[in-house]
Amino acid sequence: MPKCSPMATASVQNELNEKLGDACCYHCGEHLATPALFFSVINQTQQPMCCAGCKAVADLIVESGMSSFYSQRTHYAETPPAELGQNPYPSYDLSELKLDSDHSATTDGQKVLFLIGGMTCAACSWLIERQVLKTPGVKTARVNLTESTLSADIDANTDPVKLMQTVAELGYRFQPFRRSERTKLLAQENTDMLKRLAVAGLGMMQVGMFAIALHAGELQGMALEYQQLMRWVSLPIAVFVTVYSGGRFFVSAWSHIKYGAVVMDLPIAIACSLALAASVYATLSATGEVYFDSVVMFIFFLLLARYLEHRSRFKASLSLQKIQDQLPRLATRVRGNTTEQCSIKQLSYGDRIRIFAGDTIPLDGIVVRGVSDIDESTFTGESVPRSVRPDDTLFAGTVNIKQTLDLEIRSEPDSTKLKALEDAIAYAETQKPKVAQIADQIAGVFIIGILSIACATAYYWWQHQPEHALWIALSVLVVSCPCALGLATPAALTAAAQRLRQLGAIIRGDNAIERLSQIDTVIFDKTGTLTDGQFECVETIILGEQPAEDYFALAQALQSHSAHPVASAFSNATHNDPTDATLRTAIQALRDPSAQYAPERNAQGLSFEHVGHAYLLGNAAFLTKCTLEGQWPTQNLHWLGLSIDARVVALFGLRDKLRPDASKLVNDFKSSGLRTVLLTGDASPHARSLALKLPFDDAAFGLSPQAKLDYLSRLHQRGHKVLMVGDGINDAAVLAQADTGIAVSQAADLARAKADIVVTNLDLKPIRWAHVLARKTRTVIKQNLFWALSYNVIAIPLACLGHIPPWLAAIGMSLSSLIVVLNSLRLKTLARA
Amino acid sequence: MSTLYFLIPIALVFCVVTLKLVLWAIQSGQYRDLDRDAHIIFEDDSTNPKDPMDE
């Protein structure tokens, strides 16, 4: 669904849209396809809302007397999550908070720091501050929009968790925050750069003033005594600025030369020192020209450009990604005969937890029940899984890929897993995209070329007009700008990644965007991807002697060991004990966490043996050896059969729903000229009827993970570039092999780990946006490279001919980098088209 | 023109004072959030439209 484009004011935009017969949600700007079902009264006007979440937030804002938020905002708010009413932070207590954030006790209270996700403009920060200040016990609250943080002073006995709930009610994501060492370092660097910039700026004003006097004096005739005065005053200022503000260029140029690398700082350092030395000589000998103003201006403009670039990178590094990755992950704790969901932080040494297939192991521990395979590729790089059985040790961060295991925790709940994940992300960030690598190589060659051209130019002018030789050579050194070349790609990719994060998807590694822009085929998984992954049992056929509830309870007990989406159909079964003894013991065995029983699982179903009886639950292909009275039903449902001792006793007809935006997604891809393919493990008639509703160019049913891979490699052989959209463990291999993999929200950990892009919203829209954004990014990169090249091709010959004075050259160089950055920043405002 | 020998040093003293002030402001973190502070001037609570029935 498209969002309304960035607005002049929300009300104007809304009026416009209503005239066009196309209304927007007043809160988040979502287009309303149907007449609005929800309304809120804001500033005495009834405004349409797209969902209950938006209405709840808008009503809260109005009730708190903060409706001027709507007149002051410059961007629409994020769409709040649908389950807004629930408290998303039940699992934090104060001690964990102290561990997780820069929490400190002050003389009369405590100081806490939080990271906030979902702030779109300055009005959001105002809204959050007001709301937090209303909470009893809060003394000060201050939002830093650049860092997306809130720092608050609160009473010693006020619970900071309350603050988190307050902000969550407004539809923002919220989390305790600890500044990492890297962030602190970046903040320190930010301060240093600002200081250098300030010194260069003030110095530029002073030296510029004297330079104007000197130039005017040349025209009007100025006594040598006063000329020398101006020069002598300029000299110490220029030297101070060069050393204090420009020192970095010399240090960086020198440290790169030591390793044989040539960077842009080298020509800069040469130009600065040449110009400064010539000016100092001219001052001491009272002859020639001085270039103090050029040197200082040059340094100022360079620092300005670098500061702006640093600022946009600084913002990106305070990644909101963290807020997604570090949200308290849940684990299933086993206590006696029951299981409960709890935050990983609440687990301690000796607790038992259940790890379903596809889950990441949260803490180090030993297996107490079950047999499975473990993918340890995150640690060892070894792709062959390790088989484990009771008493084997498992490590945090590895992934259970086959069957349910029970684990006893043998490590303190420190951040082993997060450490591994952070390392993985850091690794992805260091991978430079190919285009950027090439640009870096070109830049190196380019700089050597520039140095030679500058020497040749200086030599030529020295032969003909020696008085011009120095400043023309300086101009050549300064005007050339490999920075623009070097920035062209990373600037665009960073901006795109940031925008995509706002739109609800996280990119792992920069290469993903580049590859996504080139795809020509999209493969969709069905269950959990195009459908919402929630099954419901709509038909039950009983062929055995026991009542339906008892068979259902058995199916539920079997499926409780499975993470397959089908299991969701049985999750709400009753826990009553069947009268039949065989059934009862089987169910008890399955529910008993201390016993060593767990069903065997494969793609088609579950099998379980207990005291001589064999229990099978699966589709028709899985139950071929079992006798069935009558035929499998032909109704368009996903049918599962339950068999006891090779006799089918019950059939369950399941149905999964298409996600509301699935058909639009497939249609959009189709209409932008891509091949759309459906590959599903589901062979039921239901899957076929579902596939017919959507415009697929090709569809294959009942595929095993290997068959999906084969299909993909056939596409690759024909030279297709493929995007895979999936969610399950069975898609993980295809996600990794495809040119680009996108894992939808709620995907299994393994699928998330193998995907290049992970959707964090609950819907499918970000997939389409990611593709549009990737294509747009490619265009922007091309524009950037074209601009950087043509600027240099035009500017360098002009400088060689002596048409560009050094100060203009400095501006030109800085501007050409700035234009690249600004062009890239256009991606950040890309509408949700 | 000889006043220049007197006036330029005075100007330089002012310059140094300004520089000190700017550096102090940067160091004390006043430039840490450039996005937010640009909008603070618009955040006037008295403009809050309130329902007259509430008063």
Side-chain angles (χ1 to χ4, degrees):
Chain A
M1 280 257 206
K3 281 238 175 181
C4 297
S5 53
M7 48 193 173
T9 65
S11 53
V12 171
Q13 183 74 39
N14 239 40
E15 266 170 37
L16 273 176
N17 282 313
E18 265 161 14
K19 274 179 198 155
L20 296 168
D22 185 14
C24 285
C25 172
Y26 192 72
H27 182 70
C28 72
E30 189 84 40
H31 270 292
L32 300 169
T34 53
L37 296 172
F38 300 95
F39 290 95
S40 291
V41 178
I42 297 164
N43 296 341
Q44 286 91 43
T45 318
Q46 198 182 40
Q47 302 288 1
M49 297 283 150
C50 65
C51 60
C54 281
K55 180 177 159 54
V57 171
D59 286 348
L60 179 68
I61 291 172
V62 174
E63 276 163 27
S64 320
M66 300 195 290
S67 28
S68 60
F69 166 71
Y70 288 103
S71 53
Q72 286 177 7
R73 63 181 180 174
T74 52
H75 290 85
Y76 282 115
E78 274 194 357
T79 314
E83 69 276 16
L84 196 67
Q86 299 162 12
N87 173 12
Y89 307 102
S91 50
Y92 264 110
D93 67 31
L94 200 57
S95 57
E96 289 162 8
L97 190 82
K98 283 178 181 159
L99 212 68
D100 272 355
S101 80
D102 285 340
H103 180 285
S104 58
T106 56
T107 45
D108 52 346
Q110 44 186 342
K111 205 176 180 64
V112 283
L113 187 67
F114 299 103
L115 187 65
I116 298 172
M119 280 201 288
T120 51
C121 70
C124 293
S125 60
W126 173 81
L127 189 65
I128 293 171
E129 277 182 12
R130 283 305 114 91
Q131 187 70 0
V132 168
L133 278 172
K134 282 185 183 168
T135 318
V138 177
K139 282 177 282 189
T140 64
R142 169 97 183 132
V143 170
N144 184 324
L145 194 62
T146 312
E147 283 189 348
S148 299
T149 55
L150 166 78
S151 58
D153 280 317
I154 53 179
D155 282 341
N157 45 7
T158 304
D159 187 359
V161 177
K162 256 196 197 145
L163 296 191
M164 299 167 73
Q165 286 159 2
T166 315
V167 176
E169 278 165 16
L170 288 174
Y172 299 96
R173 299 184 302 278
F174 209 61
Q175 165 191 332
F177 180 53
R178 179 181 286 279
R179 286 201 179 88
S180 70
E181 288 307 311
R182 186 163 154 259
T183 320
K184 283 181 193 158
L185 222 65
L186 277 172
Q188 180 60 41
E189 170 135 357
N190 202 30
T191 312
D192 286 349
M193 286 187 98
L194 259 180
K195 281 186 184 170
R196 283 199 292 272
L197 188 64
V199 168
L202 278 169
M204 185 180 77
M205 291 179 212
Q206 294 301 309
V207 176
M209 214 159 65
F210 301 130
I212 289 171
L214 278 174
H215 292 313
E218 261 174 41
L219 294 177
Q220 300 174 346
M222 191 187 206
L224 186 68
E225 180 198 353
Y226 292 111
Q227 268 190 35
Q228 278 301 94
L229 171 68
M230 299 297 164
R231 290 178 173 195
W232 274 107
V233 185
S234 303
L235 185 132
I237 302 175
V239 170
F240 178 69
V241 170
T242 311
V243 171
Y244 185 92
S245 300
R248 279 289 179 94
F249 300 124
F250 294 92
V251 173
S252 149
W254 177 241
S255 58
H256 279 88
I257 284 182
K258 273 198 289 188
Y259 295 104
V262 200
V263 287
M264 191 50 203
D265 289 343
L266 181 62
I268 292 172
I270 293 177
C272 280
S273 37
L274 268 181
L276 195 66
S279 308
V280 171
Y281 173 77
T283 309
L284 293 176
S285 61
T287 52
E289 285 281 322
V290 291
Y291 305 102
F292 291 125
D293 54 330
S294 299
V295 176
V296 178
M297 244 155 106
F298 176 43
I299 291 175
F300 174 76
F301 283 119
L302 275 178
L303 285 177
L304 184 66
R306 292 208 177 173
Y307 174 69
L308 293 179
E309 186 205 333
H310 176 84
R311 215 165 85 90
S312 71
R313 273 195 308 170
F314 177 58
K315 273 190 184 175
S317 74
L318 296 163
S319 46
L320 290 178
Q321 187 170 337
K322 283 187 179 154
I323 208 165
Q324 317 284 359
D325 279 348
Q326 290 187 342
L327 273 181
R329 292 285 189 95
L330 295 178
T332 309
R333 176 157 53 189
V334 183
R335 274 196 172 158
N337 277 3
T338 58
T339 57
E340 58 175 8
Q341 296 279 311
C342 68
S343 149
I344 281 164
K345 291 180 182 298
Q346 290 172 332
L347 298 171
S348 56
Y349 190 93
D351 274 352
R352 276 191 174 202
I353 51 174
R354 184 156 295 171
I355 317 274
F356 294 104
D359 283 357
T360 305
I361 287 138
L363 293 164
D364 297 350
I366 57 165
V367 181
V368 288
R369 187 186 131 165
V371 177
S372 182
D373 290 347
I374 301 293
D375 177 0
E376 293 186 330
S377 56
T378 29
F379 276 2
T380 58
E382 175 64 62
S383 57
V384 181
R386 179 169 71 105
S387 302
V388 293
R389 54 161 162 266
D391 291 336
D392 282 347
T393 309
L394 300 181
F395 300 103
T398 56
V399 183
N400 179 12
I401 51 178
K402 211 162 175 192
Q403 289 177 46
T404 309
L405 287 173
D406 278 6
L407 183 75
E408 194 171 303
I409 294 169
R410 285 296 156 90
S411 68
E412 287 307 320
D414 52 11
S415 49
T416 37
K417 179 197 161 211
L418 283 177
K419 182 86 181 67
L421 270 183
E422 275 172 9
D423 288 352
I425 291 166
Y427 172 73
E429 279 173 357
T430 58
Q431 272 185 306
K432 268 200 176 178
K434 265 187 216 137
V435 183
Q437 282 169 7
I438 295 169
D440 278 1
Q441 285 166 4
I442 294 175
V445 176
F446 187 92
I447 291 165
I448 295 171
I450 285 304
L451 291 175
S452 334
I453 293 177
C455 288
T457 312
Y459 180 75
Y460 173 85
W461 284 96
W462 187 256
Q463 300 290 317
H464 297 85
Q465 284 174 296
E467 71 274 15
H468 292 317
L470 180 67
W471 71 259
I472 291 178
L474 289 180
S475 295
V476 174
L477 280 177
V478 171
V479 82
S480 65
C481 187
C483 305
L485 273 180
L487 275 175
T489 315
L493 291 178
T494 312
Q498 268 183 285
R499 180 66 185 136
L500 200 53
R501 208 174 284 157
Q502 287 170 4
L503 294 176
I506 296 173
I507 295 175
R508 295 175 190 272
D510 282 338
N511 284 316
I513 290 191
E514 210 181 315
R515 288 195 306 257
L516 180 59
S517 65
Q518 296 166 5
I519 56 146
D520 55 16
T521 307
V522 195
I523 300 181
F524 294 96
D525 171 53
K526 183 183 74 76
T527 314
T529 305
L530 291 179
T531 62
D532 63 7
Q534 295 296 309
F535 280 83
E536 49 180 348
C537 184
V538 289
E539 280 284 341
T540 312
I541 301 172
I542 298 301
L543 306 166
E545 291 74 30
Q546 304 303 322
E549 307 85 72
D550 294 357
Y551 288 129
F552 201 74
L554 177 62
Q556 190 265 338
L558 282 164
Q559 291 285 13
S560 70
H561 292 270
S562 166
H564 194 274
V566 164
S568 63
F570 299 93
S571 56
N572 53 358
T574 49
H575 278 266
N576 63 331
D577 284 324
T579 44
D580 181 65
T582 334
L583 276 183
R584 195 168 58 230
T585 50
I587 290 173
Q588 277 164 356
L590 283 163
R591 282 187 190 153
D592 180 6
S594 60
Q596 305 288 318
Y597 309 112
E600 287 278 330
R601 209 208 109 116
N602 68 21
Q604 273 121 19
L606 300 152
S607 62
F608 177 61
E609 275 189 42
H610 185 60
V611 288
H613 296 288
Y615 305 90
L616 299 178
L617 180 65
N619 61 18
F622 190 64
L623 299 176
T624 40
K625 288 182 188 150
C626 306
T627 53
L628 172 68
E629 295 155 21
Q631 291 289 314
W632 281 85
T634 49
Q635 207 178 338
N636 273 348
L637 291 174
H638 183 88
W639 287 97
L640 282 187
L642 175 68
S643 97
I644 300 175
D645 294 333
R647 173 173 169 246
V648 179
V649 291
L651 294 171
F652 303 105
L654 311 184
R655 188 172 61 187
D656 59 347
K657 291 195 308 289
L658 210 57
R659 289 190 197 230
D661 41 9
S663 108
K664 182 165 168 40
L665 178 71
V666 180
N667 272 312
D668 281 349
F669 272 121
K670 177 93 181 161
S671 59
S672 53
L674 302 177
R675 251 173 75 84
T676 50
V677 178
L678 176 74
L679 298 185
T680 174
D682 188 353
S684 69
H686 174 58
R688 288 170 200 275
S689 76
L690 204 139
L692 283 177
K693 283 188 206 156
L694 301 174
F696 288 112
D697 292 308
D698 192 10
F701 306 93
L703 298 183
S704 67
Q706 187 54 45
K708 283 187 181 183
L709 264 183
D710 292 344
Y711 191 98
L712 179 70
S713 58
R714 280 202 299 280
L715 283 177
H716 274 156
Q717 276 163 19
R718 276 183 255 141
H720 288 294
K721 304 268 186 209
V722 183
L723 164 68
M724 169 75 195
V725 184
D727 78 311
I729 321 165
N730 54 344
D731 302 320
V734 189
L735 284 171
Q737 290 284 315
D739 297 276
T740 316
I742 299 186
V744 299
S745 61
Q746 295 167 324
D749 286 345
L750 188 63
R752 293 170 74 103
K754 297 289 178 195
D756 300 303
I757 297 173
V758 178
V759 176
T760 52
N761 272 8
L762 280 174
D763 52 32
L764 298 172
K765 289 168 210 151
I767 298 171
R768 176 74 190 136
W769 291 330
H771 183 239
V772 173
L773 192 69
R775 285 197 170 178
K776 188 82 194 159
T777 307
R778 200 175 157 74
T779 318
V780 167
I781 291 176
K782 278 185 187 161
Q783 287 167 350
N784 284 351
L785 287 173
F786 177 75
W787 159 254
L789 280 174
S790 38
Y791 164 79
N792 283 304
V793 166
I794 293 167
I796 295 173
L798 280 179
C800 290
L801 295 174
H803 292 306
I804 302 178
W807 63 270
L808 189 61
I811 294 180
M813 175 203 194
S814 306
L815 265 186
S816 73
S817 298
L818 265 184
I819 285 177
V820 165
V821 171
L822 291 178
N823 189 37
S824 308
L825 289 182
R826 288 192 305 130
L827 289 169
K828 286 175 73 175
T829 53
L830 189 78
R832 306 183 180 202
Chain B
M1 284 293 269
S2 56
T3 49
L4 281 180
Y5 286 103
F6 179 64
L7 290 175
I8 288 178
I10 291 183
L12 287 182
V13 168
F14 275 111
C15 180
V16 170
V17 171
T18 318
L19 189 64
K20 280 269 173 197
L21 276 174
V22 172
L23 290 185
W24 164 81
I26 295 172
Q27 187 63 46
S28 67
Q30 297 184 28
Y31 287 84
R32 219 169 271 162
D33 184 6
L34 298 176
D35 304 279
R36 172 76 205 284
D37 293 345
H39 291 85
I40 282 187
I41 189 168
F42 300 114
E43 296 174 3
D44 191 346
D45 279 332
S46 60
T47 62
N48 254 5
K50 271 185 189 155
D51 193 337
M53 301 302 286
D54 278 354
E55 299 301 319

